[in-house]
Amino acid sequence: MKTLKLTIACTLLVTASLAQSKKYIETMEASIAELYAAETVESFDPVINKFTRIGQAEKMQWEPYYYASLANVFKAFRIQDLQVKDAVLDQALASLKQASELSENNVEIVLFEGFINMIKIGVDPATRGQTLSPGIMASFGKAMKMDPDNPRATLFMGQMQFGTAQFFGSDLEVPCGLINRSIELFDSSSPESSIAPAWGKSMVGNYVESCSGEETESKK
Amino acid sequence: MTKALFSILLFATTIAATAQVKGRVTDENGESLPGANVYIKDTYDGATTDLDGLFSFITAENGEQIIVISFIGFEPFEQKIDVSKPVGMNVQLKEIVNRLSGVTITAGSFEASDKKKATVLKPLDIAMTAGATADISGALNKLPGTTTNGETGRLFVRGGTANETQAFIDGVLVHNFYSASPNNVPSRSRFSPFLFKGTFFSAGGYSAEYGQALSSVLALSSNDIPDETRTDLSFMTVGTDVSHTQKWENGSIYGQVQYTDLNPYNNIIKQDIDWEDGFSSTNGTFMLRQRLSKNDMLKVYANYDRSSFILNRPSVNDFNTDHIDLVNKNGYFNTSYRLAIGSHSTGFIGLSYGATTEDILLNEMEVKVSQDSYHAKTYFTSDISNVTLKVGGEIIGTDEDEDVTLADDSKEMSDYSNTLVAGFTELDYYVTNGVTLRAGLRYSHYSIFDENTLSPRLSMAFKTGEDAQISAAYGKFHQLPTRDLLIRSHQMSYERADHYMISYQKIRNGYTFRSEIYHKEYNDLVKYDPADRFNPTVYLNSGEGYARGIDIFWRDTKTIKNVDYWVSYSYMDTKRDHRDYLSLARPTFAAGHNVSLVYKQFISSIKTQVGASYSFNSGRPYNDPNAEKFNGSRTKNYSDLSFNFAYIYKQNVILYVSATNLLGRNNVFGYEFEDEAGIDDFYESRPITQPAKRFLFVGLFITLTRDQAKNNLENL
C-alpha cells in the first residue's frame, strides 16, 4: 500500500511537472514570438513584463530572465538618447544576472553578457572601448571554450576581431573565418528546445559581403 | 503528503472559473505610470499598464491571492486580494529614495570614474592629458581651483599650500605622495595613473571621513581584478620597466620593476642645472587582489623605491656653487579589505605604512631625515531606507628624526612624534530624489599637543532639472602643522580652515558645465620669526588668511566628432599671514587668474590620438627685499603649450610622444635673493626657472598576452 501510494505520488509529480512545463513552454513560445514581433520602444515593455512574470512564477527557470534581458537589449537598439539607452542596457544586465543565478556557467548567458557590454561600448566608445574590450573578449573566449559550436559566440567573437583587424588594417582571414563558420553553425545546429536562444543570424548582415570580398581578394 | 498533493493538483487543474482584475497605477502625485508590471504573485497572470496607467487582466486563480505591482524606480506594491469575484483597484506607487537614486553632492569635487553616471572626468583623462606626462597631479593641475607651480610639480588648491592636500589610496593615507626632487625642480607623484580605476579630487567641503587636509583631498581607488594575464614592457627615454599580471578565478597578482635614469636624456637635451649625476631610481611594485568570498575584496599594494641625484648649482649668496647629493629610500605598504554585509551594509578595514629615509649632503653639511608613519582605519556604512550612515575611526602615527652634521662635526638632532586618534560619523539623508542632505562630524586627538578638535561638515545638493543641480558645502578642517615646523617646535597647535561653497553643475549628453563660488578662512596658522627660527618658543599659531574665488569648467565631447576638449578658468583672491611672512599678503604660490585648455582628438585614419593643452597663470607674487611692500612684486605671466600623441602601431604596440612648452617660453616662477644686501645696499637676485625649457618624452609600450590580441592604449 505504501509503495503504491508512493508510485502514484511519483507518477502524479512527474505528470504535474510535465503539465507545468507544457504551460511554461507554450507561454514562453508565445512570448518569444511577441518579442520578435515588437517594433516600437514602448512595445517592448509588455514583453519584458511578461517574461518577468513568468520568471517570478517559475522559480527554477533561467530562460524568462534571459529573454527579459534580450528584450531590453532589442529595446535599447531603438533608443537614440544615449543616457536612456545606457540605463536600459543596465536593466538588461540586471535581468541577465538573475538568469545567471539560476543557471551558472551557462554558455548563452556568458556570451550574452559580452554582447551587452559590446553594445555598451557604443554609448561612449572613446573611454569604454579600452576598459570594456578585454572583458568582452574574455566572455566570448570563455563561451567558445564551453561550446565551440555555439553560433552566437562564434559570430560575436568574429565581429570583435573583425573590428580590430579592420582598424589596424591587418588580415581579415581569422575574423572572417569565424563569421563564415558562424553562418554554417546557424544553419546546421538546431536549438536544444523551442525556447532555447536561437537569435543572431540576422546580425551576420554586412559582414558576409565584407568577408566574401576578402576571400576573392586573397584568391587573386 | 499524498492528500496534499492531490488537493494541489485538483486545485490547479479543475478550477476554470475566471475573474477580471483591473485598475490604475499612478505615482504619489496622481500622474499615471505607463509600463508598470501588475500580476498575481507566483502565477503568469498579469498585465502591463497603458499610457493612462490602466491595466486589466483575467485570472483563472481563485480565492485569496497576492497582487504585485512593480515599476523601475518605485517601491514594489503587494496586497492581498480575493479574486473569486472581479477586482477593481487604484494604486499609488511610492518612489524609491535612497543612495542609488538620490542626487550626489558634487560641491567642491571632481570625480573620474567609469562606474558612476554623470562624472566629469574618465580615468583615462588623467593619463592622457597633454602636458601632464601621465602624472596624476599634472593632470589635476588642468582643473579649476588649482594653480600650476611649475617649480614643484605639486598640487596647490584654492590658495592652499601643497601640504594642505592629502592623498589616499583605497581610503588609506599615502605617506609620501611625491618623488624626491631638488629645490625648484618639479617632482612627480609616485603612483602611475594606470593603477587606478577612479580618482576623486575635492577642492573643499569634503566628507568627515577625511581629515588632516586644510584644502584638498585626492582619493584614488585602485584597479580591481584585471581581465587577463599579461606582461607589459616599456622602453622610454627616461628608463624602462617590466610588469607582469597573473590572473586567476578570484584574484590576481602584479609585479613591476622599473628603472629610471635621466642622465642619457640630460646629456642630449641641454639643462640649466649642472647635473653631476642626474635623477635615477630603482623601483619595485607588488600588488595582490583576492576575493575571499563573493562579497568582498582584499587589496595589497607594496612599493619600494630608491632614488638619487647629485648636482651643483651656483649660489646666489657668493661666488661658490652649492653641491647637493641626495639619496631617498621610500617604502610604502597599503592594504584594505572591504566586505559587503547583506545588500545594505559595508565594512572596511585599511592599513598603510610608510618609511622614508633621506640622506642629503649639502656642501659640508650632512642631513639625515627618517620618517615612519602608519595609518589604520576602519568604518562601517549602512543604507537604511533613505538614510545612509557611516561610522568609523582611525589612528595615524608619525615619527620623524632629523640629524644634521655640520662641517665642524658638531651635531644637531631633532625629532617629533605624534599619534592622532580620530573618529568620524556621517549621515546622508535623501529627502527626495532631488534633495540630499549630508551632515558629518569628526573628532581628533593630537598626542603631541594633547589637544582635541571637532570638525563639523555640512553639505547638500538640490536637483534643478533632469541633469542639473545646485550644491553647497560648509566645513571646518584641521591639520597638524607641517613636518619642517614640528621638527623645530612642539609648542604649537593644529592649524584650521573653514570652507563655504556653492556650485552649479549640468551634465547632458556630452556637455558638462560647472561653476563654483567659494570662500575659505584660515586661522591658527603657524608663524615664527625667521631670525630666531631655532628657538621653539617663537612658533605660534597666530597666523591667518583667506581665499575666495570662482571656478568655471566647460567640457564638450560632442560638437566635433572624435574631439573632446575642456576649458577651465579660475579667479582667486587670497592673502595669508603664515610662517615667516611679515604681514598679510598674497602668497607666492597663488596666481589670480588660471586658465587651462585641454584638447584630445582621435584620428582613426592614422590610428593616432593627438592631444594638446594650454595653461596660463597671471603673475605670481614674490618678495623683493629691495622693494617696500612685502610679497609686492609679481613675476611675468606663466604659459605653456604642450602636445602629445599616441600612435597605435599594432594592438599591442604603442608609441607615445609628449613634449611640453612647444613655444619655448622662458617661464619664471619666482626669484631667489641674497641673504644679505651688498655694499650698495642692494639684494642681488636670480630667477627660478625651468630646469630645461621643454621636456620631451618618447615611450614604446608593448603588451604580451596569451592570445596576442589585446589593446595596449590603457597602459600608456
Side-chain angles (χ1 to χ4, degrees), chain B residues 42-68:
Chain B
D42 297 334
T43 77
Y44 294 8
D45 300 340
T48 297
T49 55
D50 66 11
L51 283 174
D52 299 316
L54 296 170
F55 67 89
S56 160
F57 63 90
I58 293 192
T59 178
E61 304 297 325
N62 209 345
E64 197 157 79
Q65 297 290 340
I66 294 168
I67 191 162
V68 180

Side-chain angles (χ1 to χ4, degrees), chain A residues 9 12 16 23-24 27 46 49 53 56-59 81 83 90-91 124 127 130-131 134-135 164 167-168, chain B residues 6 35 37 39 42-44 46-48 72 114 117 122 124 227 467 508-509 602 607 648 650-651 713-714:
Chain A
L12 282 170
K23 180 190 175 194
Y24 171 64
T27 319
N49 282 346
R53 288 199 292 270
Q56 60 84 39
E58 301 283 348
K59 305 270 182 268
D81 186 307
Q83 286 177 12
D90 284 340
Q91 276 301 313
D124 185 3
T127 45
Q130 287 133 22
T131 48
T164 3
F167 180 81
F168 290 101
Chain B
F6 264 112
N37 200 0
Y39 56 90
D42 297 334
T43 77
Y44 294 8
T48 297
I72 295 163
D114 277 334
K117 316 271 150 161
K122 301 286 174 193
L124 266 167
D227 292 307
D467 310 288
R508 180 74 203 163
N509 275 340
F602 190 74
K607 301 181 280 178
I648 310 168
K650 275 184 173 177
Q651 265 163 295
L713 192 58
E714 62 187 308

